[in-house]
Tab-separated table of all heavy atoms in Angstrom:
chain	number	residue	atom	x	y	z
A	1	ILE	N	77.982	89.628	103.840
A	1	ILE	CA	79.270	90.093	103.320
A	1	ILE	C	79.082	90.641	101.910
A	1	ILE	O	78.553	89.938	101.032
A	1	ILE	CB	80.299	88.953	103.306
A	1	ILE	CG1	80.493	88.405	104.724
A	1	ILE	CG2	81.626	89.433	102.736
A	1	ILE	CD1	81.348	87.159	104.782
A	2	VAL	N	79.505	91.882	101.707
A	2	VAL	CA	79.445	92.517	100.389
A	2	VAL	C	80.872	92.805	99.916
A	2	VAL	O	81.625	93.512	100.587
A	2	VAL	CB	78.646	93.833	100.428
A	2	VAL	CG1	78.633	94.484	99.039
A	2	VAL	CG2	77.217	93.587	100.903
A	3	LYS	N	81.235	92.219	98.775
A	3	LYS	CA	82.545	92.463	98.177
A	3	LYS	C	82.366	93.317	96.930
A	3	LYS	O	81.542	93.003	96.072
A	3	LYS	CB	83.226	91.141	97.817
A	3	LYS	CG	83.540	90.273	99.028
A	3	LYS	CD	84.237	88.984	98.614
A	3	LYS	CE	84.569	88.130	99.832
A	3	LYS	NZ	85.248	86.859	99.441
A	4	THR	N	83.138	94.399	96.859
A	4	THR	CA	83.044	95.320	95.728
A	4	THR	C	84.403	95.426	95.050
A	4	THR	O	85.424	95.647	95.719
A	4	THR	CB	82.609	96.723	96.188
A	4	THR	OG1	81.383	96.622	96.919
A	4	THR	CG2	82.405	97.650	94.998
A	5	THR	N	84.412	95.245	93.745
A	5	THR	CA	85.635	95.406	92.949
A	5	THR	C	85.409	96.556	91.974
A	5	THR	O	84.449	96.553	91.205
A	5	THR	CB	85.968	94.124	92.176
A	5	THR	OG1	86.155	93.047	93.100
A	5	THR	CG2	87.243	94.314	91.367
A	6	ALA	N	86.298	97.552	92.046
A	6	ALA	CA	86.176	98.738	91.187
A	6	ALA	C	87.290	98.731	90.149
A	6	ALA	O	88.436	98.387	90.448
A	6	ALA	CB	86.249	100.017	92.012
A	7	THR	N	86.928	99.120	88.921
A	7	THR	CA	87.891	99.181	87.820
A	7	THR	C	87.863	100.570	87.205
A	7	THR	O	86.804	101.047	86.768
A	7	THR	CB	87.558	98.133	86.742
A	7	THR	OG1	87.498	96.828	87.347
A	7	THR	CG2	88.611	98.138	85.651
A	8	ALA	N	89.025	101.232	87.189
A	8	ALA	CA	89.139	102.572	86.615
A	8	ALA	C	89.336	102.482	85.106
A	8	ALA	O	89.667	101.413	84.576
A	8	ALA	CB	90.310	103.313	87.259
A	9	PRO	N	89.141	103.606	84.373
A	9	PRO	CA	89.315	103.584	82.914
A	9	PRO	C	90.698	103.125	82.470
A	9	PRO	O	90.840	102.524	81.389
A	9	PRO	CB	89.052	105.040	82.508
A	9	PRO	CG	88.151	105.565	83.579
A	9	PRO	CD	88.614	104.895	84.844
A	10	ASP	N	91.729	103.351	83.295
A	10	ASP	CA	93.077	102.924	82.906
A	10	ASP	C	93.370	101.473	83.289
A	10	ASP	O	94.496	100.997	83.135
A	10	ASP	CB	94.132	103.843	83.536
A	10	ASP	CG	94.104	103.813	85.062
A	10	ASP	OD1	93.266	103.064	85.629
A	10	ASP	OD2	94.913	104.532	85.687
A	11	GLY	N	92.363	100.766	83.799
A	11	GLY	CA	92.538	99.369	84.148
A	11	GLY	C	92.940	99.121	85.583
A	11	GLY	O	93.033	97.965	86.021
A	12	THR	N	93.199	100.181	86.357
A	12	THR	CA	93.550	100.015	87.765
A	12	THR	C	92.342	99.470	88.535
A	12	THR	O	91.213	99.908	88.312
A	12	THR	CB	93.972	101.359	88.386
A	12	THR	OG1	95.051	101.903	87.620
A	12	THR	CG2	94.420	101.183	89.829
A	13	THR	N	92.596	98.521	89.410
A	13	THR	CA	91.501	97.919	90.166
A	13	THR	C	91.737	98.042	91.661
A	13	THR	O	92.872	98.182	92.130
A	13	THR	CB	91.321	96.426	89.818
A	13	THR	OG1	92.514	95.717	90.173
A	13	THR	CG2	91.018	96.246	88.341
A	14	GLY	N	90.676	98.005	92.385
A	14	GLY	CA	90.727	98.004	93.843
A	14	GLY	C	89.518	97.259	94.374
A	14	GLY	O	88.533	97.057	93.657
A	15	SER	N	89.602	96.822	95.595
A	15	SER	CA	88.493	96.049	96.147
A	15	SER	C	88.239	96.419	97.589
A	15	SER	O	89.126	96.937	98.290
A	15	SER	CB	88.768	94.542	96.045
A	15	SER	OG	89.904	94.193	96.820
A	16	GLN	N	87.028	96.150	98.035
A	16	GLN	CA	86.628	96.401	99.410
A	16	GLN	C	85.683	95.295	99.851
A	16	GLN	O	84.879	94.801	99.063
A	16	GLN	CB	85.928	97.752	99.545
A	16	GLN	CG	85.467	98.071	100.971
A	16	GLN	CD	84.590	99.306	101.012
A	16	GLN	OE1	83.436	99.265	100.618
A	16	GLN	NE2	85.142	100.407	101.477
A	17	GLU	N	85.797	94.910	101.114
A	17	GLU	CA	84.867	93.949	101.696
A	17	GLU	C	84.235	94.560	102.929
A	17	GLU	O	84.937	95.014	103.842
A	17	GLU	CB	85.585	92.646	102.070
A	17	GLU	CG	84.649	91.613	102.695
A	17	GLU	CD	85.343	90.299	102.992
A	17	GLU	OE1	85.921	89.732	102.039
A	17	GLU	OE2	85.333	89.870	104.164
A	18	ALA	N	82.915	94.584	102.973
A	18	ALA	CA	82.168	95.104	104.119
A	18	ALA	C	81.378	93.954	104.735
A	18	ALA	O	80.571	93.308	104.054
A	18	ALA	CB	81.229	96.228	103.685
A	19	ASP	N	81.626	93.688	106.009
A	19	ASP	CA	80.958	92.593	106.717
A	19	ASP	C	79.934	93.182	107.687
A	19	ASP	O	80.299	93.811	108.686
A	19	ASP	CB	81.966	91.750	107.500
A	19	ASP	CG	83.004	91.107	106.600
A	19	ASP	OD1	82.815	91.127	105.372
A	19	ASP	OD2	84.015	90.596	107.126
A	20	PHE	N	78.654	92.965	107.403
A	20	PHE	CA	77.560	93.412	108.261
A	20	PHE	C	77.115	92.238	109.141
A	20	PHE	O	77.217	91.081	108.747
A	20	PHE	CB	76.378	93.894	107.426
A	20	PHE	CG	76.697	95.020	106.486
A	20	PHE	CD1	77.259	94.765	105.237
A	20	PHE	CD2	76.426	96.335	106.837
A	20	PHE	CE1	77.548	95.802	104.360
A	20	PHE	CE2	76.710	97.380	105.967
A	20	PHE	CZ	77.272	97.106	104.731
A	21	ASN	N	76.585	92.542	110.301
A	21	ASN	CA	76.066	91.466	111.152
A	21	ASN	C	74.947	91.997	112.034
A	21	ASN	O	74.843	93.202	112.284
A	21	ASN	CB	77.180	90.843	112.001
A	21	ASN	CG	77.902	91.870	112.856
A	21	ASN	OD1	77.403	92.292	113.885
A	21	ASN	ND2	79.095	92.285	112.424
A	22	GLY	N	74.108	91.084	112.499
A	22	GLY	CA	72.983	91.483	113.344
A	22	GLY	C	72.095	90.302	113.668
A	22	GLY	O	72.309	89.179	113.200
A	23	ILE	N	71.072	90.555	114.491
A	23	ILE	CA	70.122	89.536	114.919
A	23	ILE	C	68.932	89.501	113.959
A	23	ILE	O	68.396	90.541	113.599
A	23	ILE	CB	69.624	89.799	116.351
A	23	ILE	CG1	70.813	89.835	117.321
A	23	ILE	CG2	68.619	88.742	116.782
A	23	ILE	CD1	71.561	88.537	117.429
A	24	ASP	N	68.538	88.290	113.554
A	24	ASP	CA	67.359	88.094	112.706
A	24	ASP	C	66.263	87.387	113.498
A	24	ASP	O	66.545	86.503	114.319
A	24	ASP	CB	67.699	87.242	111.488
A	24	ASP	CG	68.270	88.053	110.344
A	24	ASP	OD1	68.614	89.230	110.567
A	24	ASP	OD2	68.382	87.509	109.232
A	25	TYR	N	65.008	87.761	113.213
A	25	TYR	CA	63.841	87.089	113.782
A	25	TYR	C	63.074	86.444	112.633
A	25	TYR	O	62.811	87.097	111.615
A	25	TYR	CB	62.968	88.088	114.539
A	25	TYR	CG	63.709	88.750	115.675
A	25	TYR	CD1	64.355	89.971	115.491
A	25	TYR	CD2	63.790	88.143	116.929
A	25	TYR	CE1	65.055	90.570	116.527
A	25	TYR	CE2	64.482	88.731	117.963
A	25	TYR	CZ	65.122	89.953	117.757
A	25	TYR	OH	65.825	90.527	118.789
A	26	MET	N	62.708	85.173	112.788
A	26	MET	CA	62.206	84.394	111.657
A	26	MET	C	60.810	83.842	111.898
A	26	MET	O	60.455	83.481	113.021
A	26	MET	CB	63.161	83.232	111.379
A	26	MET	CG	64.580	83.668	111.021
A	26	MET	SD	65.667	82.232	110.847
A	26	MET	CE	65.714	81.640	112.542
A	27	LEU	N	60.057	83.764	110.817
A	27	LEU	CA	58.743	83.125	110.791
A	27	LEU	C	58.665	82.279	109.534
A	27	LEU	O	58.966	82.753	108.438
A	27	LEU	CB	57.630	84.181	110.783
A	27	LEU	CG	56.207	83.670	110.522
A	27	LEU	CD1	55.738	82.774	111.661
A	27	LEU	CD2	55.247	84.841	110.332
A	28	GLY	N	58.289	81.005	109.695
A	28	GLY	CA	58.191	80.125	108.546
A	28	GLY	C	56.939	79.262	108.598
A	28	GLY	O	56.491	78.867	109.676
A	29	VAL	N	56.361	78.971	107.437
A	29	VAL	CA	55.188	78.095	107.338
A	29	VAL	C	55.390	77.166	106.143
A	29	VAL	O	56.078	77.505	105.174
A	29	VAL	CB	53.870	78.877	107.179
A	29	VAL	CG1	53.569	79.698	108.425
A	29	VAL	CG2	53.913	79.774	105.948
A	30	GLY	N	54.771	75.988	106.228
A	30	GLY	CA	54.869	75.042	105.132
A	30	GLY	C	53.970	73.849	105.367
A	30	GLY	O	53.077	73.878	106.220
A	31	MET	N	54.215	72.782	104.609
A	31	MET	CA	53.454	71.548	104.732
A	31	MET	C	54.409	70.397	104.980
A	31	MET	O	55.529	70.373	104.458
A	31	MET	CB	52.626	71.291	103.476
A	31	MET	CG	51.655	72.417	103.123
A	31	MET	SD	50.521	72.871	104.457
A	31	MET	CE	49.588	71.350	104.640
A	32	HIS	N	53.961	69.437	105.774
A	32	HIS	CA	54.774	68.281	106.145
A	32	HIS	C	54.246	67.036	105.450
A	32	HIS	O	53.046	66.765	105.464
A	32	HIS	CB	54.726	68.096	107.667
A	32	HIS	CG	55.365	66.825	108.145
A	32	HIS	ND1	54.703	65.622	108.171
A	32	HIS	CD2	56.612	66.572	108.601
A	32	HIS	CE1	55.509	64.683	108.634
A	32	HIS	NE2	56.673	65.233	108.896
A	33	PHE	N	55.158	66.281	104.811
A	33	PHE	CA	54.799	65.024	104.159
A	33	PHE	C	55.682	63.910	104.715
A	33	PHE	O	56.906	64.049	104.763
A	33	PHE	CB	55.012	65.095	102.638
A	33	PHE	CG	54.181	66.118	101.935
A	33	PHE	CD1	54.633	67.421	101.810
A	33	PHE	CD2	52.949	65.786	101.401
A	33	PHE	CE1	53.880	68.372	101.149
A	33	PHE	CE2	52.186	66.734	100.737
A	33	PHE	CZ	52.636	68.031	100.612
A	34	LYS	N	55.076	62.835	105.112
A	34	LYS	CA	55.837	61.649	105.474
A	34	LYS	C	56.040	60.827	104.208
A	34	LYS	O	55.119	60.248	103.668
A	34	LYS	CB	55.095	60.831	106.527
A	34	LYS	CG	55.878	59.624	107.005
A	34	LYS	CD	55.140	58.866	108.099
A	34	LYS	CE	55.934	57.659	108.564
A	34	LYS	NZ	55.237	56.895	109.628
A	35	ALA	N	57.312	60.795	103.726
A	35	ALA	CA	57.600	60.145	102.449
A	35	ALA	C	58.107	58.719	102.618
A	35	ALA	O	58.471	58.079	101.642
A	35	ALA	CB	58.632	60.971	101.675
A	36	GLY	N	58.159	58.225	103.812
A	36	GLY	CA	58.640	56.876	104.083
A	36	GLY	C	58.773	56.690	105.575
A	36	GLY	O	58.423	57.566	106.374
C-alpha cells in the first residue's frame, strides 16, 4: 500500500492510496539455536 499526500503552494492538499497485490516466492536461510 502506497499513500501519497500532495500539498500545493497555496496550502491545498490532496491524497491518494494505491493498493498493489501479487504472489511472492520466498527463499530464506539462517542458523538454528536451541536456547532452552
Side-chain angles (χ1 to χ4, degrees):
I1 301 172
V2 179
K3 296 181 179 180
T4 305
T5 300
T7 305
D10 62 1
T12 304
T13 62
S15 63
Q16 179 189 75
E17 180 177 304
D19 299 348
F20 302 83
N21 56 78
I23 302 297
D24 275 12
Y25 300 93
M26 299 175 293
L27 170 66
V29 295
M31 303 305 296
H32 172 276
F33 298 87
K34 183 177 180 180

